[in-house]
Amino acid sequence: MKQYEPDRLTPAEAAAVRRSFRNGRAAMTRRSLLRASAGGALAVGGLGALSACGIPAAGKTQGGVSADDHSAKEKVVDFSNWPEYIDTDDSGKHRPTLDAFGKRTGIQVKYTEDINDNDEFFGKIQPQLAAGQATGRDLVVLTDWLAARMIRLGYVQKLDASHLPHAFANLSDQFRAPDWDPGRAYSYPWQGISTVIAYNKKALDGIEVKSVSDLLDNPKLKGRVGFLTEMRDSVGMTMLDMGKDPAKFTDDDYDAVIARLQKAVDNGQIRRFTGNDYTSDLSKGDFAACVAWAGDIVQLQADSPDVGYVIPDSGYMTSTDNMLIPNKARHKTNAERLIDYYYELEPAAELAAYINYVSPVAGVKPYLAKIDKSAADNPLIVPDKAMQAKSHAFRSLSSKEETAYQQKFAKLTGA
């Protein structure tokens, strides 16, 4: 097998990692502001003997390295995820959907919340993967740009589609064809993350905000505007506002966005770049408006009636956290069964009701409505077709581009 050199972080990239770890999306407490609305475990439907009718079996693993699959004899899955990114009961000790999966299949899920930052976690498992060794994990959840890197480096296994009938059938069209994993050969989304414009109605005091241009150009908002420290979100939203496609942009396009944001920094229009801590500024009215993550807005609105959001006519950015099976995973088939389970409509609904991110599962809405009608009717959790059509993804970057773009963005934000 070809030996891959690990991607190395430049000083600018390392600064971006530190920002993310301190207060970026990596530092988000995904359930810190919202009460659990599921109210108990659903009676989850039967997995049964899954028919793979019409679903082609995967061919020889390409890019990844398989190991002897012990799934038949060892009924276990080692699953690494982010903190507070799954449904729990009132005691916090049980996870109803995982409990139901284990009861139905006999497969014990060893669930570990040990992913606090993408790059930090990559640094933890990369030496083992580069050496062709097992990580001790069968399933991991990583944000799309790192999932792309893992696939590019040959660190994850190709999925067997015959084990994924529900995932194959129920994956939302919005997430089916990322440029870094066409056809989802190596990954399936755990949840989607939308980037929108949020505002505080009281702080706006009648000022209309409908676009990124309003944030950057309206002098009445000077010093009361926030953007995110996550490069793909702030650059992507500004790029859309400038009529450029985040999936196809050039170096010149990127530089034009940086120049526009720099002007707003220099003239004091942008108060600061933040991570998840913008939620406090927004609630208090220190930010009249800002670029924000939709999952936070859903949570904030439960307690802050002045907080609202808008989807610009130019569109909004979407990213995904994705389930992948690392090389040498000991229980690949069991992991694939767990992936597929979360694409059944009832478990998907229970998960969405609890964590309130974008469900990647088409058809989940009526099942979610049985648990929490307000969540089912919220387009930030279940986007309708019109909203889906406005979503855009940031294209995958080469290592060279990643370095250059992060350096420029770090200079802009003062990192």
Side-chain angles (χ1 to χ4, degrees):
M1 176 185 171
K2 180 180 177 181
Q3 295 297 311
Y4 291 88
E5 288 295 323
D7 288 7
R8 300 192 181 280
L9 298 180
T10 65
E13 290 174 305
V17 172
R18 289 192 294 272
R19 285 198 310 275
S20 182
F21 191 65
R22 287 195 306 269
N23 60 8
R25 193 163 61 78
M28 295 168 73
T29 303
R30 289 174 161 81
R31 288 285 301 170
S32 60
L33 300 176
L34 186 68
R35 61 176 174 78
S37 57
L42 277 177
V44 183
L47 189 63
L50 298 178
S51 168
C53 180
I55 311 289
K60 183 179 178 182
T61 298
Q62 298 177 5
V65 179
S66 61
D68 291 337
D69 192 347
H70 297 267
S71 293
K73 294 182 178 179
E74 300 176 5
K75 296 295 186 179
V76 67
V77 176
D78 288 287
F79 183 9
S80 284
N81 203 348
W82 298 70
E84 301 193 55
Y85 208 14
I86 198 169
D87 55 304
T88 61
D89 67 3
D90 291 339
S91 73
K93 296 180 180 179
H94 296 282
R95 301 175 177 93
T97 54
L98 288 184
D99 292 347
F101 174 79
K103 189 176 296 184
R104 190 208 302 181
T105 64
I107 298 170
Q108 178 190 3
V109 181
K110 295 181 179 179
Y111 187 79
T112 308
E113 296 181 331
D114 61 345
I115 304 176
N116 293 300
D117 172 82
N118 282 289
D119 268 303
E120 180 266 343
F121 186 74
F122 180 72
K124 185 186 301 183
I125 63 174
Q126 190 272 338
Q128 296 161 301
L129 292 168
Q133 299 170 353
T135 64
R137 298 167 177 87
D138 300 307
L139 192 64
V140 297
V141 175
L142 301 174
T143 305
D144 45 19
W145 60 266
L146 182 54
R149 181 193 296 177
M150 293 277 285
I151 293 169
R152 185 176 74 242
L153 292 173
Y155 285 167
V156 295
Q157 297 186 57
K158 190 172 184 180
L159 301 172
D160 185 338
S162 69
H163 296 155
L164 299 161
H166 296 98
F168 184 88
N170 294 337
L171 176 61
S172 170
D173 289 342
Q174 182 179 2
F175 301 115
R176 280 193 178 269
D179 67 347
W180 48 271
D181 187 15
R184 291 289 180 180
Y186 294 90
S187 68
Y188 269 91
W190 175 251
Q191 295 290 284
I193 303 133
S194 298
T195 304
V196 300
I197 293 174
Y199 57 83
N200 183 304
K201 285 181 259 188
K202 186 178 291 186
L204 282 180
D205 193 24
I207 300 170
E208 189 173 63
V209 170
K210 290 186 175 181
S211 67
V212 170
S213 289
D214 292 332
L215 300 186
L216 294 175
D217 301 333
N218 190 332
K220 294 180 180 179
L221 297 178
K222 185 174 181 178
R224 299 191 293 144
V225 169
F227 275 71
L228 293 168
T229 55
E230 297 291 337
M231 179 267 286
R232 288 165 177 80
D233 294 314
S234 288
V235 169
M237 290 291 284
T238 308
M239 199 172 281
L240 288 170
D241 188 72
M242 295 172 68
K244 302 180 187 299
D245 187 350
K248 299 177 181 177
F249 67 89
T250 65
D251 287 350
D252 287 343
D253 294 332
Y254 186 88
D255 288 344
V257 171
I258 294 297
R260 188 176 186 203
L261 290 170
Q262 187 67 61
K263 179 181 177 181
V265 170
D266 292 343
N267 66 22
Q269 184 76 10
I270 295 177
R271 183 185 184 99
R272 66 189 184 103
F273 289 82
T274 73
N276 184 242
D277 51 326
Y278 71 83
T279 56
S280 175
D281 291 308
L282 187 63
S283 296
K284 291 187 296 185
D286 292 341
F287 282 164
C290 61
V291 177
W293 290 301
D296 286 342
I297 304 311
V298 174
Q299 296 174 9
L300 282 173
Q301 287 180 323
D303 298 310
S304 303
D306 290 327
V307 172
Y309 73 93
V310 64
I311 305 297
D313 289 340
S314 59
Y316 67 100
M317 296 302 297
T318 298
S319 57
T320 50
D321 287 332
N322 308 274
M323 295 177 280
L324 305 103
I325 299 177
N327 286 355
K328 296 287 188 177
R330 189 175 176 88
H331 310 105
K332 182 174 184 285
T333 298
N334 290 346
E336 289 167 338
R337 292 186 71 184
L338 185 58
I339 293 172
D340 194 63
Y341 166 76
Y342 277 107
Y343 277 81
E344 293 182 35
L345 297 175
E346 289 180 335
E350 188 168 0
L351 186 65
Y354 192 87
I355 61 177
N356 288 168
Y357 277 72
V358 179
S359 174
V361 181
V364 75
K365 184 171 182 175
Y367 295 84
L368 180 56
K370 295 177 183 177
I371 309 168
D372 186 337
K373 189 175 186 304
S374 64
D377 292 337
N378 192 329
L380 297 183
I381 300 173
V382 185
D384 58 22
K385 289 186 177 180
M387 185 166 172
Q388 288 183 24
K390 288 187 173 184
S391 78
H392 297 264
F394 205 90
R395 70 171 173 84
S396 56
L397 303 178
S398 67
S399 295
K400 182 178 179 181
E401 287 175 325
E402 180 80 33
T403 299
Y405 293 166
Q406 283 287 11
Q407 285 176 337
K408 292 174 181 178
F409 190 72
K411 183 178 180 181
L412 167 73
T413 62

